[in-house]
């Protein structure tokens, strides 16, 4: 409260200095006048609770910047992986619709081994089903990082739960393992998981789970509205670890 009084007093002083009501107006350059005016405006705004609430707190800003950097790194990783795939296809003289993997005989996977494919053998991963929506997160109360699909599409959300059963702290860093995900359906259609700013985005998930901790995570895909999601399969790929698995979801 005392600081607010000081600010108000200073503001009044500046107003008087720039008005005809005060006779001792000091000589100042236009630049000096602008600096003082900006300084007073900043002080007033600093103690205006309505102004403060419109901006992120320091820890929230740091978290948002860290998430943005993680997305940037993921995008760069995806670019490099796609370039590697393109080169491998060109060297093998294969058309683009043929998968590059260690062989189809080894490609069949299952949800029970999902954690092993990702490189996290001490974490249980449960599949909680899929949902369809035109906005994610769906809650109207959540406005930060809310997404809508591109025109003519809808979101397919694959829901999972991570459970640390190791008896000790366990660090998960999805990008370090080089994992990425593709949703295949209708035998011919395939969509890569979207990279988002969501904390629960499994494709870029990075956090430490304490013993017994459970976390809900998601993979977000887009699909055309006019296509049914028949016989969906989740493909798990990691060029760094030579992993390619197809996991039936139904």
């Amino acid at each position: 409260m005392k600081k607010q009084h000081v600010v108000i007093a200073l503001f009044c002083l500046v107003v008087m200095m720039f008005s005809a009501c005060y006779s001792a107006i000091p000589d100042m350059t236009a630049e000096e006048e602008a600096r003082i005016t900006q300084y007073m405006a900043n002080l007033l705004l600093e103690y205006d609770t309505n102004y403060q609430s419109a901006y992120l707190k320091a820890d929230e800003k740091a978290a948002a910047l860290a998430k943005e950097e993680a997305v940037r790194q993921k995008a760069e990783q995806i670019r490099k992986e796609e370039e590697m795939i393109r080169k491998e296809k060109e060297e093998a003289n294969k058309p683009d619709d043929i998968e590059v993997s260690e062989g189809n005989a080894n490609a069949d996977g299952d949800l029970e081994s999902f954690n092993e494919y990702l490189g996290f053998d001490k974490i249980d991963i449960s599949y909680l089903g899929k949902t369809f929506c035109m906005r994610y997160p769906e809650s109207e109360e959540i406005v930060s990082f809310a997404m809508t699909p591109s025109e003519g599409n809808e979101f397919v959300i694959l829901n999972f739960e991570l459970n640390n059963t190791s008896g000790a702290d366990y660090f998960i860093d999805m990008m370090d393992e080089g994992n990425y995900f593709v949703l295949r359906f209708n035998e011919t259609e395939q969509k890569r998981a979207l990279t988002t700013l969501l904390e629960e985005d499994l494709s870029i998930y990075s956090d430490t789970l304490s013993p017994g901790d459970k976390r809900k995570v998601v993979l977000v895909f887009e699909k055309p509205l006019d296509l049914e999601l028949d016989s969906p399969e989740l493909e798990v790929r990691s060029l760094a670890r030579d992993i390619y698995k197809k996991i039936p979801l139904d």
Side-chain angles (χ1 to χ4, degrees):
M1 183 65 69
K2 184 177 180 181
K3 288 184 177 180
Q4 288 179 321
H5 290 164
V6 172
V7 171
I8 293 173
L10 288 173
F11 181 73
C12 292
L13 178 61
V14 171
V15 171
M16 293 173 65
M17 291 168 61
F18 289 104
S19 68
C21 299
Y22 194 80
S23 59
I25 301 177
D27 293 330
M28 290 185 293
T29 65
E31 182 180 353
E32 289 172 335
E33 292 178 4
R35 281 206 305 267
I36 291 177
T37 303
Q38 184 61 51
Y39 174 70
M40 292 304 305
N42 289 341
L43 281 177
L44 288 173
L45 290 175
E46 181 180 352
Y47 295 100
D48 180 0
T49 55
N50 292 330
Y51 176 82
Q52 289 177 328
S53 64
Y55 290 84
L56 294 176
K57 296 179 181 178
D59 57 342
E60 294 173 335
K61 182 178 180 180
L65 289 174
K67 181 65 68 174
E68 183 179 347
E69 175 61 16
V71 172
R72 188 196 65 77
Q73 292 179 6
K74 182 66 177 180
E76 178 62 16
Q77 174 188 319
I78 290 173
R79 186 193 66 77
K80 290 180 179 179
E81 289 173 347
E82 289 180 340
E83 180 65 16
M84 289 177 64
I85 291 175
R86 184 187 65 79
K87 289 181 178 179
E88 288 181 0
K89 288 178 179 179
E90 289 178 352
E91 291 172 1
N93 196 26
K94 295 180 180 180
D96 285 341
D97 59 349
I98 296 179
E99 301 294 344
V100 176
S101 68
E102 66 268 35
N104 289 334
N106 247 356
D108 294 338
D110 56 72
L111 285 168
E112 288 73 19
S113 303
F114 189 29
N115 60 330
E116 297 177 10
Y117 307 150
L118 300 182
F120 306 114
D121 56 344
K122 295 181 181 179
I123 297 292
D124 286 344
I125 304 180
S126 303
Y127 175 56
L128 305 180
K130 59 183 179 295
T131 55
F132 304 89
C133 60
M134 297 299 295
R135 180 183 188 273
Y136 190 85
E138 293 185 89
S139 173
E140 294 293 337
E141 298 178 357
I142 303 176
V143 295
S144 299
F145 306 128
M147 308 182 302
T148 55
S150 56
E151 185 175 356
N153 291 281
E154 65 178 340
F155 286 139
V156 181
I157 311 296
L158 301 187
N159 301 279
F160 300 89
E161 183 179 73
L162 308 179
N163 182 13
N164 181 4
T165 59
S166 68
D169 288 352
Y170 195 91
F171 180 61
I172 295 177
D173 189 344
M174 194 64 64
M175 292 193 296
D176 190 54
E177 296 295 329
N179 298 313
Y180 64 101
F181 307 90
V182 174
L183 181 63
R184 183 181 292 274
F185 54 99
N186 299 357
E187 296 184 356
T188 58
E189 298 290 332
Q190 58 179 342
K191 297 292 182 180
R192 187 163 187 157
L194 301 178
T195 301
T196 76
L197 291 175
L198 301 168
E199 292 184 356
E200 67 269 28
D201 186 345
L202 181 60
S203 70
I204 58 170
Y205 194 80
S206 178
D207 201 1
T208 298
L209 274 65
S210 300
D213 267 4
K214 295 182 179 181
R215 305 283 178 85
K216 298 291 179 60
V217 294
V218 298
L219 290 173
V220 182
F221 301 87
E222 278 191 350
K223 81 164 187 66
L225 283 166
D226 57 355
L227 285 181
E228 296 294 327
L229 194 66
D230 294 332
S231 304
E233 288 183 323
L234 177 63
E235 297 184 359
V236 183
R237 310 180 184 184
S238 173
L239 293 177
R241 296 183 296 110
D242 196 24
I243 292 293
Y244 173 70
K245 293 293 181 180
K246 296 189 297 183
I247 305 174
L249 297 179
D250 288 343

